[in-house]
Amino acid sequence: MPCYVLTDSGIARRYLKKVLVNPVFFETPSALLHALGRVKKGQVVLLDSTVRGFATAGLQTAQLIRQHDPDAQLIMMSEDASMATRCFEAQVGLLDFIIKQEYSASFFDRLIRAVSKANLNLKRILDLRPEPIRLPDGRTSRLFDLTRIVYFSTDSGSHHIFVHEIDRQRRIRTSMKELAERHSNLYRVHASYIINIAYLNSYEPGERSLTMVTGHQVPVSRHYAGSLRNALRWPNAKRALTEPIRLN
């Protein structure tokens, strides 16, 4: 996940490029706000408190971001320790306030920990937030929560699909082909099975089966094994086919 950085300091950019995995730099608040307006909400943002000589530029930018994005993970860096009090009083919900200390080792250590925590917070937010998905059911459709769907199954040749959710099972009338096209998380792994890849725990190519986080075993057919392999983005294409892939 990228880290959006507001700073007009060339020195800061040089140092931050060495420690941040995917930094995207902006020299003005307007450029940063424009970029954030074009991506989904819930981003990691690192703000320099002073920009172009304005001591409160970072704080004012944080206030504008917070108005439109309650999930944004905001981190402030500053040479002025007193700015921490002003940020607290402004109630912009900073994840951390870090004193630069001439870009010391302790500064970078705290920054890395703050960014890691920010990414973890965003993952938790997404995991807990329902994601509505409307699935076809005969001549109508039904609303489901994608985050609760583990996999789909059907009898060969039937249009009756069983929706296996975390705590229950429901049935709809549609085709497997149409289901697989409904969301990028839905992967067909067999003529009779579609999985929600977010629930995938491990895949054992040698046994042509996979295990979901819930413990359910799902078969994988040779026909769909290639697309599943691409979806998992295996780091080594020459990995032995008998070696299981663990995702947890």
Side-chain angles (χ1 to χ4, degrees):
M1 175 175 287
C3 179
Y4 292 83
V5 183
L6 173 63
T7 182
D8 62 347
S9 169
I11 295 176
R13 287 195 298 272
R14 285 197 298 272
Y15 278 117
L16 294 173
K17 282 181 181 178
K18 296 179 180 179
V19 297
L20 296 178
V21 175
N22 190 14
V24 183
F25 294 99
F26 302 90
E27 296 188 9
T28 64
S30 59
L32 170 64
L33 294 170
H34 179 68
L36 291 175
R38 297 168 59 186
V39 297
K40 65 180 182 180
K41 297 184 185 300
Q43 299 292 338
V44 181
V45 185
L46 174 61
L47 303 161
D48 203 337
S49 64
T50 302
V51 178
R52 301 288 176 90
F54 293 97
T56 61
L59 174 57
Q60 292 176 0
T61 305
Q63 291 173 315
L64 291 172
I65 295 172
R66 184 59 71 210
Q67 289 176 11
H68 300 281
D69 186 0
D71 296 336
Q73 303 295 299
L74 306 179
I75 304 168
M76 186 79 70
M77 59 181 181
S78 179
E79 296 176 350
D80 182 6
S82 65
M83 183 59 67
T85 301
R86 300 185 65 175
C87 290
F88 175 76
E89 292 174 345
Q91 298 182 345
V92 293
L94 290 183
L95 176 65
D96 203 350
F97 183 94
I98 309 174
I99 302 298
K100 288 183 182 179
Q101 297 177 338
E102 298 182 352
Y103 303 107
S104 63
S106 61
F107 166 81
F108 289 118
D109 179 65
R110 183 164 176 176
L111 175 61
I112 292 172
R113 284 189 283 113
V115 172
S116 296
K117 183 178 180 181
N119 285 317
L120 181 60
N121 287 346
L122 291 174
K123 183 179 184 302
R124 287 172 174 167
I125 290 170
L126 292 175
D127 287 346
L128 294 173
R129 178 171 296 161
E131 184 173 351
I133 181 172
R134 188 166 289 280
L135 301 178
D137 184 17
R139 295 183 178 180
T140 183
S141 62
R142 294 170 63 181
L143 192 63
F144 289 81
D145 178 2
L146 181 62
T147 64
R148 301 188 63 81
I149 298 175
V150 182
Y151 69 101
F152 301 88
S153 67
T154 185
D155 295 328
S156 180
S158 171
H159 285 287
H160 290 287
I161 309 293
F162 294 97
V163 185
H164 300 265
E165 298 175 274
I166 294 175
D167 54 357
R168 61 179 171 177
Q169 177 179 297
R170 290 189 275 177
R171 189 174 71 174
I172 56 177
R173 183 174 175 81
T174 184
S175 68
M176 298 294 275
K177 182 178 183 298
E178 187 169 3
L179 274 183
E181 296 173 350
R182 288 284 163 154
H183 196 278
S184 59
N185 269 23
L186 301 182
Y187 279 85
R188 194 168 186 179
V189 296
H190 188 278
S192 301
Y193 291 89
I194 290 175
I195 66 166
N196 180 352
I197 203 166
Y199 278 94
L200 179 59
N201 180 62
S202 66
Y203 171 39
E204 301 192 18
E207 298 182 12
R208 294 186 188 175
S209 69
L210 51 82
T211 304
M212 309 304 284
V213 173
T214 55
H216 292 96
Q217 301 286 323
V218 177
V220 178
S221 69
R222 186 186 299 275
H223 179 74
Y224 294 101
S227 60
L228 179 61
R229 180 186 181 116
N230 292 334
L232 297 178
R233 297 179 181 177
W234 292 0
N236 186 356
K238 296 182 179 179
R239 172 178 283 181
L241 292 179
T242 56
E243 182 180 348
I245 309 302
R246 304 291 176 185
L247 302 180
N248 56 338

